[in-house]
């Protein structure tokens, strides 16, 4: 297959400094709303990059569940590979690939576990089967078959057939507190527009980057 044939121009518009908010969270919110309105499937899907104890990077897609002035939140099994990586090295990267709009957002920051109360508040809003799946899956562990997974799921259904499904002790949220953002807008002739926000105390410094 000739991969060089996969080529196109990015023609959906440029990005100028005057168009940017001074606050990267407000800028992110504006772009996120536009991504959702454009009909992008799973606009909250983000690549989470971590590093293992040997310095090897690992990436996976997770779902952003909410964001605010404190940072970006997702939920997972605390025994998963990503959670174990974070426990040893909390500096992580996020990437939002909104290709339909010729846009990307890259975020770097520090991940921290959320309190149990916040995790419970989210967990009780999940569909019941998703709650049961959190109990059934020992995330990132090797399993012999899907049949075994479904058997474990059935056991959890039976175990919690009456009453509410409680939050597992091994499951909860992480919040990434950002220290840099990059907003990337595709441009013609590969002359893309890139702006980097870096935190300086309580303020944000904005620089244009060469494409």
């Amino acid at each position: 297959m000739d991969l060089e044939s996969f080529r196109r121009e990015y023609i959906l518009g440029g990005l100028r400094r005057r168009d940017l908010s001074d606050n990267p969270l407000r800028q992110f919110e504006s772009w996120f709303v536009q991504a959702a309105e454009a009909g992008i499937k799973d606009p909250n899907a983000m690549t989470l990059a971590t590093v293992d104890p040997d310095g090897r990077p690992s990436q996976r897609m997770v779902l952003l569940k909410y964001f605010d002035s404190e940072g970006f939140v997702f939920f997972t099994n605390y025994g998963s590979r990503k959670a174990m990586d974070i426990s040893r090295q909390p500096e992580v990267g996020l990437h939002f690939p909104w290709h339909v709009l010729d846009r990307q957002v890259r975020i770097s920051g520090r991940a921290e576990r959320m309190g149990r109360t916040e995790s419970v508040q989210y967990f009780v809003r999940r569909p019941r089967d998703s709650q049961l799946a959190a109990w059934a899956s020992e995330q990132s562990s090797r399993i012999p078959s899907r049949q075994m997974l479904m058997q474990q799921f059935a056991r959890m259904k039976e175990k919690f057939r009456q009453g509410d499904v409680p939050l597992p002790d091994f499951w909860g949220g992480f919040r990434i507190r950002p220290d840099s953002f990059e907003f990337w807008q595709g441009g013609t002739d590969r002359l893309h527009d890139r702006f980097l926000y870096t935190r300086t105390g309580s303020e944000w410094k904005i620089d244009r980057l060469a494409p």
Side-chain angles (χ1 to χ4, degrees):
M1 179 181 293
D2 179 13
L3 298 184
E4 291 187 8
S5 65
F6 291 94
R7 182 178 294 275
R8 68 181 177 88
E9 283 290 341
Y10 299 96
I11 58 175
L12 295 184
L15 184 63
R16 300 294 180 265
R17 173 63 182 87
R18 62 178 177 272
D19 300 323
L20 294 172
S21 170
D22 290 336
N23 185 307
L25 281 167
R26 286 199 293 269
Q27 183 63 39
F28 178 85
E29 182 176 21
S30 174
W31 272 26
F32 186 89
V33 169
Q34 291 172 37
E37 291 177 344
I40 293 175
K41 290 184 178 180
D42 301 323
N44 60 325
M46 59 185 184
T47 302
L48 169 69
T50 59
V51 178
D52 73 10
D54 296 321
R56 292 174 298 196
S58 180
Q59 307 85 33
R60 75 287 290 161
M61 298 298 290
V62 298
L63 295 179
L64 174 68
K65 287 305 177 181
Y66 62 87
F67 62 93
D68 55 25
S69 61
E70 298 298 314
F72 295 76
V73 173
F74 73 95
F75 293 86
T76 190
N77 185 309
Y78 286 142
S80 65
R81 178 178 175 180
K82 56 184 171 293
M84 297 301 291
D85 283 353
I86 289 171
S87 70
R88 290 180 287 254
Q89 173 50 269
E91 301 297 330
V92 303
L94 303 177
H95 176 246
F96 292 85
W98 295 326
H99 301 310
V100 171
L101 298 175
D102 292 348
R103 288 177 175 174
Q104 303 177 62
V105 180
R106 296 174 59 241
I107 299 168
S108 296
R110 187 177 182 88
E112 60 186 37
R113 279 200 193 193
M114 299 173 63
R116 184 172 178 82
T117 298
E118 290 179 286
S119 293
V120 168
Q121 289 173 346
Y122 170 73
F123 189 78
V124 297
R125 298 197 298 270
R126 297 186 98 202
R128 185 177 181 85
D129 281 354
S130 294
Q131 295 174 339
L132 294 169
W135 279 95
S137 174
E138 189 177 341
Q139 196 175 95
S140 299
S141 64
R142 290 178 169 85
I143 58 175
S145 66
R146 182 172 180 82
Q147 180 182 8
M148 187 278 285
L149 179 64
M150 298 310 296
Q151 289 172 346
Q152 179 68 357
F153 184 67
R155 284 193 287 270
M156 293 301 105
K157 275 192 171 183
E158 177 61 22
K159 179 178 180 178
F160 299 114
R161 69 182 185 278
Q162 295 180 341
D164 296 330
V165 180
L167 172 71
D169 291 337
F170 52 81
W171 198 96
F174 280 103
R175 174 180 284 108
I176 293 93
R177 297 186 182 276
D179 50 46
S180 73
F181 291 74
E182 181 186 329
F183 293 87
W184 183 101
Q185 177 73 62
T188 57
D189 302 317
R190 299 300 187 265
L191 297 176
H192 313 304
D193 291 305
R194 300 171 59 192
F195 286 93
L196 176 68
Y197 291 74
T198 50
R199 188 188 293 276
T200 56
S202 61
E203 303 296 324
W204 291 92
K205 180 173 180 284
I206 304 176
D207 293 293
R208 176 182 277 274
L209 303 180

